[in-house]
Amino acid sequence: MFNSHTTTHSFHIPVMGLGFTADTPIKVAKYGISSVVSIMDDHMLEDLRRIYSRKLQIPYLPISDKTDDSRANRIKAYLNLIHDAVSKQIEELKSQSFDYGVAINEYFTLLPENHGLKVLYERMKQEVGEAKEAIQNRLKAAISPGKIDVNIMTKVDKINFDKEGNELPREYSDALSALRGFAESDLESSVVFSAGMNPALYGYAEQFEDFFPDENGKIKKGIILKVSDYRSALIQGRFLAKKGLWVSEFRIESGLNCGGHAFATDGLLIGPILEEFKNNKEELRQVLFDTCQKALTDKATHLLPEAIMPKITYQGGIGTAAEDKFLMNYYQLDGTGWGSPFLLVPEATSVDKDTLDRLIQSRKSDYYLSHASPLGVPFNNLRNSSGEEQRLSRIEKNRPGSPCYKKFLSFSTEFSAKPICTASREYQNLKLKQFATGDTTLPVLEEVLEKDCLCEGLSASVILNQGEEPKRNLRAVTICPGPNLAYFKGVFSLKEMLDHIYGKANIILDPERPQVFVKELQLYVQHLQHEISKSLPEKTQKFESYVDKFKANLSQGIAYYQELIASFPIDTEEVVEKMRNQLSELKEKISSMELVKA
């Protein structure tokens, strides 16, 4: 099947926070490794453009807040800088000899052993004379950069105002401005839409010809949807297809066994979800293809190639080569995402030394699902981060909340017509005054005070990692690793991590680490227990139905896994036996869960 966005490696590095992967392409794209840059914080990207312009010795003209369409222009300028930097790195690689110790060799040594280019590279080393030179030329011609994809979290779409306080047109909202910056950039890559459907944002993509096929059927800028289940993929995919917009990839992410914001399903587990995608892959493709072709025909524009196929990939909690290989082969995936483990790879991500030390020193109990996000969505957090220390220190000093400068998450109109952020000092002070009145209908105070400034906390690390101070000296770092990172300890080189992913060598993991399916199941059982234990005045019929459905989905998922491990060798016998016992224990735990009647 044809796909206009092919990749060298079988894995990608997903977006992490606002800054942890903001400059990852400059670090790893030259090796053919694809990664995702968040384009939500234009202030941070402008700082990085200034820093890298100096490093790369290229002119830097600042784009100030007073510049027309400053947000989109900052994003465009930074993406163009990355694109140019990586293009030059690739040119440099192709100009090198294959002498021992020269960087070009690393491009091929990082590949899996069975990769066609790795096999050809090994053969080249055995040849001499013209035959050797001919293979070297073939290898150089095959060198291509990893994709520089971008992420837009669809819910982060604040409406903006001009200096006089007048509401700006819709296309100047945060998400639409970010999309415009990407669409007008020089990149040939994809935008990852995450956190659900945003009709205005999806519709706005129609304004840019790069999202449509050209006369050769090539789509310069692809659309990737991050989804949690098949139904969501079909609904969002059809919405876009009706506009003639093709989804080049469905990136399935575990609802709970992931980093950042956690969008839990109603107990639907990743194994059955992947099985549904596998069984319906052709149907999904046909529905979207027919819908998209009709829309393109109606627009009287170029059509999609007949053989085009969307990629199906998975990310969330993968920790071993055996898990990666099973997921790829059994579910016929086009790739996998390895996120949180790369936070321990300085060659790939930007984690400042203090935060890196805290990650290494952290215990499993330090990884938890918090109420920190002003979006009101559960957020993976680290208890011993400097961001958490700062939040608690402010509460202790009777000054809870954060100064709010960037305002990306200002959505609450509880106290004012103009939205403010629930993590802001302004909001939390107003909320404390409300609590002082003794209003018993208010949410738990701890949940209000747990809100943290993600705008500053998730972007500080990349600036600190460059040896600079974040603006206003806001050095505290919030980090949002997935639960899987608790089982990795140490700092690793890029080669060590890739060798681990491809099974060439093994990073020693905590022996208590559960298999990826079991870990997600454990997280869902904990989640349901927490939901049941919430203090409610009364257990409504709707809530009881929700719990029953949740339990039924978990039980069906366990039955699916039990049948799977009985019929397919998904890992070593030791791992499978451990899974068998854990599945039985979790099945009993679920069946014993009871709602306490009010």
Side-chain angles (χ1 to χ4, degrees):
M1 285 286 184
F2 170 85
N3 196 297
S4 62
H5 289 259
T6 56
T7 53
T8 302
H9 286 271
S10 63
F11 76 95
H12 62 269
I13 301 176
V15 67
M16 286 184 275
L18 294 171
F20 300 113
T21 56
D23 59 349
T24 291
I26 295 177
K27 299 182 176 191
V28 304
K30 62 188 174 186
Y31 301 121
I33 300 169
S34 297
S35 60
V36 186
V37 174
S38 171
I39 56 172
M40 301 316 295
D41 187 346
D42 57 300
H43 303 279
M44 176 197 72
L45 297 182
E46 179 68 4
D47 284 340
L48 282 177
R49 187 170 69 89
R50 172 181 54 78
I51 292 166
Y52 272 103
S53 291
R54 186 178 67 244
K55 281 190 170 188
L56 300 172
Q57 297 183 320
I58 58 177
Y60 168 71
L61 293 173
I63 301 172
S64 74
D65 290 337
K66 296 177 182 177
T67 307
D68 286 344
D69 205 14
S70 60
R71 177 170 168 77
N73 284 322
R74 283 171 171 170
I75 291 166
K76 174 183 174 181
Y78 180 67
L79 295 179
N80 284 344
L81 178 144
I82 297 179
H83 174 267
D84 293 344
V86 171
S87 297
K88 286 178 182 174
Q89 289 173 345
I90 294 295
E91 285 176 22
E92 171 64 21
L93 276 186
K94 289 186 175 185
S95 72
Q96 293 175 354
S97 70
F98 282 87
D99 293 341
Y100 179 79
V102 179
I104 191 173
N105 294 285
E106 196 167 356
Y107 184 95
F108 300 100
T109 56
L110 289 174
L111 295 169
E113 296 296 347
N114 61 353
H115 194 287
L117 290 179
K118 179 68 185 300
V119 173
L120 188 62
Y121 173 76
E122 294 300 330
R123 186 178 132 203
M124 177 273 293
K125 293 196 291 186
Q126 307 305 316
E127 297 286 354
V128 294
E130 290 184 2
K132 189 185 190 83
E133 188 178 341
I135 295 177
Q136 288 179 343
N137 289 335
R138 284 175 62 191
L139 289 171
K140 287 183 179 183
I143 291 175
S144 62
K147 294 295 178 186
I148 306 169
D149 293 327
V150 304
N151 177 254
I152 295 178
M153 193 172 181
T154 58
K155 291 183 184 297
V156 183
D157 192 19
K158 171 177 54 67
I159 299 297
N160 289 308
F161 299 81
D162 64 18
K163 293 172 187 173
E164 285 72 44
N166 302 310
E167 187 175 305
L168 290 170
R170 188 67 175 86
E171 62 265 30
Y172 291 96
S173 70
D174 282 351
L176 274 65
S177 295
L179 183 64
R180 184 165 58 257
F182 167 66
E184 294 178 352
S185 74
D186 298 333
L187 289 180
E188 290 191 28
S189 60
S190 298
V191 57
V192 183
F193 290 135
S194 62
M197 189 158 72
N198 179 334
L201 176 64
Y202 288 7
Y204 189 53
E206 274 190 279
Q207 306 298 314
F208 305 99
E209 63 178 27
D210 279 1
F211 288 108
F212 295 96
D214 62 16
E215 64 274 13
N216 299 312
K218 181 181 178 182
I219 300 172
K220 185 177 179 181
K221 290 189 169 67
I223 293 173
I224 296 173
L225 292 183
K226 191 189 287 188
V227 295
S228 56
D229 57 43
Y230 181 78
R231 181 174 175 273
S232 174
L234 187 59
I235 291 171
Q236 293 188 69
R238 286 187 69 180
F239 184 92
L240 288 160
K242 286 176 181 178
K243 300 177 182 300
L245 298 166
W246 178 251
V247 178
S248 60
E249 180 183 336
F250 290 97
R251 194 160 282 184
I252 308 156
E253 184 173 67
S254 168
L256 288 179
N257 198 12
C258 60
H261 288 87
F263 295 89
T265 66
D266 290 347
L268 289 171
L269 301 176
I270 202 60
I273 289 169
L274 291 174
E275 188 79 43
E276 188 173 10
F277 272 93
K278 174 184 172 181
N279 294 337
N280 294 288
K281 182 186 284 190
E282 184 52 44
E283 179 191 357
L284 177 65
R285 181 254 172 204
Q286 197 62 52
V287 168
L288 300 187
F289 178 81
D290 291 345
T291 307
C292 203
Q293 289 291 66
K294 181 182 182 304
L296 292 170
T297 301
D298 292 343
K299 288 175 182 286
T301 188
H302 303 296
L303 299 180
L304 297 167
E306 286 292 326
I308 197 166
M309 188 80 184
K311 287 185 175 184
I312 307 292
T313 62
Y314 169 72
Q315 61 192 42
I318 308 171
T320 68
E323 290 174 354
D324 189 86
K325 184 178 179 182
F326 169 74
L327 289 163
M328 288 284 291
N329 293 341
Y330 185 79
Y331 294 109
Q332 299 164 19
L333 298 177
D334 298 292
T336 54
W338 283 66
S340 296
F342 275 99
L343 292 171
L344 302 176
V345 182
E347 289 174 77
T349 56
S350 286
V351 182
D352 61 288
K353 187 180 184 306
D354 175 68
T355 303
L356 193 58
D357 289 342
R358 290 168 187 265
L359 283 171
I360 295 166
Q361 293 160 13
S362 62
R363 300 162 297 180
K364 286 190 278 289
S365 59
D366 289 324
Y367 294 78
Y368 73 111
L369 207 54
S370 73
H371 298 285
S373 174
L375 285 176
V377 178
F379 181 78
N380 281 288
N381 215 336
L382 189 72
R383 292 186 200 281
N384 63 328
S385 71
S386 56
E388 267 297 278
E389 284 182 358
Q390 175 181 261
R391 183 185 69 83
L392 293 171
S393 172
R394 285 171 171 168
I395 293 171
E396 228 174 89
K397 293 173 182 174
N398 204 27
R399 285 179 60 79
S402 309
C404 192
Y405 299 110
K406 295 178 178 177
K407 305 186 186 302
F408 295 129
L409 300 178
S410 297
F411 296 114
S412 175
T413 54
E414 185 179 348
F415 298 109
S416 59
K418 194 170 182 180
I420 59 175
C421 178
T422 56
S424 69
R425 188 163 292 157
E426 179 185 4
Y427 177 88
Q428 298 209 355
N429 282 339
L430 289 167
K431 206 68 183 170
L432 283 172
K433 289 176 183 175
Q434 223 182 15
F435 272 101
T437 67
D439 189 340
T440 57
T441 64
L442 293 173
V444 179
L445 178 60
E446 285 74 16
E447 286 188 18
V448 174
L449 298 181
E450 201 175 341
K451 296 287 180 282
D452 196 11
C453 180
L454 303 188
C455 298
E456 303 291 353
L458 291 177
S459 65
S461 183
V462 67
I463 306 301
L464 291 167
N465 200 50
Q466 293 292 339
E468 297 217 1
E469 284 290 318
K471 283 188 172 67
R472 295 171 288 271
N473 200 30
L474 293 169
R475 298 176 54 90
V477 173
T478 302
I479 193 163
C480 49
N484 190 38
L485 191 60
Y487 304 101
F488 287 76
K489 289 298 173 191
V491 177
F492 306 102
S493 69
L494 184 63
K495 186 176 188 308
E496 285 174 323
M497 188 57 71
L498 265 67
D499 283 353
H500 178 75
I501 291 171
Y502 290 137
K504 299 182 193 178
N506 288 322
I507 288 172
I508 304 302
L509 303 182
D510 187 318
E512 290 184 14
R513 179 185 178 274
Q515 195 267 355
V516 61
F517 290 156
V518 173
K519 178 62 180 179
E520 188 201 46
L521 175 59
Q522 290 173 343
L523 292 168
Y524 268 106
V525 170
Q526 291 169 14
H527 180 71
L528 181 57
Q529 286 175 320
H530 176 71
E531 291 290 290
I532 291 174
S533 67
K534 279 182 181 176
S535 177
L536 295 173
E538 58 181 24
K539 305 294 184 184
T540 63
Q541 183 64 44
K542 183 179 178 181
F543 183 74
E544 289 181 19
S545 297
Y546 161 76
V547 171
D548 289 343
K549 180 184 177 184
F550 204 117
K551 289 174 66 174
N553 285 335
L554 291 180
S555 297
Q556 288 167 17
I558 289 174
Y560 169 85
Y561 289 142
Q562 288 174 327
E563 186 177 337
L564 180 65
I565 61 177
S567 58
F568 196 89
I570 77 169
D571 211 310
T572 64
E573 184 51 45
E574 181 184 1
V575 171
V576 171
E577 182 58 29
K578 187 178 176 183
M579 284 182 71
R580 195 175 286 119
N581 294 333
Q582 289 171 322
L583 289 171
S584 295
E585 291 170 8
L586 289 164
K587 184 178 180 179
E588 287 181 22
K589 186 175 285 190
I590 292 164
S591 63
S592 66
M593 283 185 191
E594 293 290 342
L595 278 173
V596 179
K597 302 290 183 181

